Amino acid sequence: MLTLIEAAKLHTGDVFRQAIIEMYARSSDLLQILKFDNILGNALRYNREETLPGVGFRGINEAYDESTGIINPLTEPLVIAGGDADVDKFILKTMGQDQREVQENGKIKAMALAWTKKFIKGDSTTEPREFDGLQVRLTGNQLLPAGSTANGDALSLTLLDELLDMVSSPTHIMMNKALRRRLSAAARNTSISGNIHWEKNQFGQQILYYGDLPIVIIDDDETGTQILQFNEACPGGGTSTGTSIYCISNQQDKLIGIQNGDIDARDLGELQTKPAERTRVEWYSGIACFHGKCAARMWGIKNAAVVA
C-alpha cells in the first residue's frame, strides 16, 4: 500500500507516467498523503466487524450463554475518473510541442482537485458515477456537533480532542485554510495555545500539527470553489454558516484509497474528426472504509477564534 508519490518511484522506466502520477499527487494535499491499495476487478468486497461476540463467566457444571459477533459484508466499487486534452495542430506548429504539455498539466491538476472534492462531498445518490465521500458516509456516533448555537459555534480544542478519540489510531486532521489560520493564531495565544506547532514535510512545505497529527488542507476544487466552505448546516439551526473538520485513520485496516492500476495517461495521436492531438488520462479508483471508527466529522464550526 503506497501513496501516489511512492507509487511514482516504481515507474522509473516510464518517465511520462511517473511525471503524471507525481503531478497528480502534488496538486492536492490529500493525494500527497492518502495511501492506495491495488485491487483486482471493478470492486472490493470485504467484511466489516460491527459488534464483537459477548464473553461471560460460568460456574462449575454450567454452560456459557451463546454469543456471536455481527459481521457486515460491504462492497466498494471503483469509479472512472478522467478526461481528454486536445491541442490543435496549429497551436503545436506555431507555439511548440510544449503547449500540449501545458494542457495535459491542466487536465491532471483538475482531476486531482475534482477527486479531492469527491473524497469529502461525493454522493452517489445524486451522481451515480461517483463514489460516496466522507460527508455522506459518516453518520451516528461518528458525527460530533461543534455545539448547539444557531449559526454555528467556534472551534473548541476540547471538542477537537474528543474528535480524535472517536477515531481508531488517527493519522490526519482535515480542514479548510481559514480554520488552520484560527489554529495558528491560537498557538500564539498563551491562554489557549494547545499542542499546535509547525513542521516541514517531505516537500519542504510547512505543515501545521495538532499534537502529533498533521493538518491536511482541503482547499479548492477544479472550478476554484472552496470545498469546505462556511456554508454547511449547523446543529443549532439558523443560517448555513458552518464548516467541518474531519479526522481519519489512513491505514491498511482503516480508511484507504483503492485503485485498479495506477493513473493511465495515453497519447491517442491526431484525431480523425479534427486537426488536434489528444491525450487521455483515466484513473479507476475509490475509497474503502474497513473499520467503523476509521473517520469522524465535527460539524457546525463557524469562522471565529478558537476557544479552549
Side-chain angles (χ1 to χ4, degrees):
M1 190 174 65
L2 304 171
T3 66
L4 294 181
I5 293 293
E6 292 167 342
K9 298 175 183 177
L10 302 179
H11 295 282
T12 54
D14 188 341
V15 177
F16 180 64
R17 172 169 289 193
Q18 182 183 21
I20 291 287
I21 296 173
E22 287 187 351
M23 189 178 305
Y24 197 74
R26 291 174 187 270
S27 298
S28 162
D29 288 356
L30 169 66
L31 291 174
Q32 288 182 17
I33 60 95
L34 191 64
K35 295 180 179 179
F36 283 84
D37 201 3
N38 276 299
I39 68 170
L40 299 176
N42 60 5
L44 176 64
R45 294 172 179 83
Y46 62 96
N47 294 322
R48 179 193 289 170
E49 181 182 77
E50 298 294 344
T51 304
L52 291 172
V55 176
F57 300 87
R58 71 175 183 87
I60 297 174
N61 295 325
E62 294 179 346
Y64 289 110
D65 292 331
E66 191 281 334
S67 176
T68 55
I70 297 177
I71 303 294
N72 288 332
L74 298 172
T75 300
E76 295 285 1
L78 298 178
V79 301
I80 306 171
D84 294 334
D86 297 345
V87 182
D88 194 282
K89 297 287 287 186
F90 177 81
I91 295 176
L92 296 175
K93 181 69 173 178
T94 59
M95 301 178 64
Q97 285 290 328
D98 59 341
Q99 291 303 308
R100 193 173 183 186
E101 183 180 348
V102 170
Q103 293 301 319
E104 291 166 353
N105 292 350
K107 180 67 69 175
I108 294 164
K109 183 176 182 179
M111 279 182 55
L113 298 179
W115 199 96
T116 300
K117 180 178 181 179
K118 300 310 176 185
F119 181 86
I120 299 293
K121 300 284 188 176
D123 187 348
S124 61
T125 61
T126 58
E127 175 47 79
R129 299 180 185 86
E130 65 190 35
F131 57 83
D132 287 331
L134 294 185
Q135 183 170 300
V136 170
R137 291 169 183 258
L138 298 177
T139 59
N141 58 10
Q142 294 311 106
L143 283 177
L144 176 64
S148 57
T149 308
N151 307 325
D153 292 83
L155 172 61
S156 161
L157 294 186
T158 300
L159 284 180
L160 184 55
D161 290 337
E162 185 176 339
L163 180 73
L164 306 191
D165 287 341
M166 292 166 61
V167 178
S168 176
S169 303
T171 60
H172 298 85
I173 303 170
M174 299 178 176
M175 65 182 66
N176 64 26
K177 285 183 175 179
L179 286 184
R180 182 180 64 179
R181 291 195 299 270
R182 295 291 188 181
L183 275 177
S184 183
R188 299 188 294 270
N189 187 336
T190 55
S191 64
I192 300 176
S193 64
N195 192 7
I196 306 167
H197 57 281
W198 292 87
E199 293 183 16
K200 285 188 177 181
N201 67 3
Q202 59 182 322
F203 304 113
Q205 301 167 327
Q206 288 285 345
I207 302 297
L208 189 65
Y209 278 71
Y210 182 72
D212 59 351
L213 299 185
I215 293 174
V216 178
I217 295 302
I218 304 297
D219 204 5
D220 295 345
D221 65 13
E222 76 281 10
T223 68
T225 303
Q226 193 175 41
I227 297 171
L228 284 176
Q229 301 183 54
F230 290 94
N231 63 353
E232 298 176 358
C234 299
T239 57
S240 297
T241 54
T243 190
S244 299
I245 289 179
Y246 292 85
C247 179
I248 68 168
S249 178
N250 180 210
Q251 301 186 70
Q252 181 73 52
D253 58 344
K254 300 299 191 304
L255 184 154
I256 61 171
I258 54 176
Q259 61 180 3
N260 186 321
D262 297 321
I263 299 164
D264 184 27
R266 305 188 298 276
D267 183 354
L268 301 184
E270 185 174 351
L271 302 174
Q272 292 184 343
T273 55
K274 61 180 180 179
E277 294 188 9
R278 171 170 292 177
T279 302
R280 177 167 294 162
V281 182
E282 281 193 318
W283 193 27
Y284 311 141
S285 60
I287 61 175
C289 297
F290 296 118
H291 194 285
K293 294 184 177 181
C294 65
R297 172 192 175 201
M298 186 195 304
W299 64 297
I301 308 167
K302 68 180 181 180
N303 192 2
V306 172
V307 298

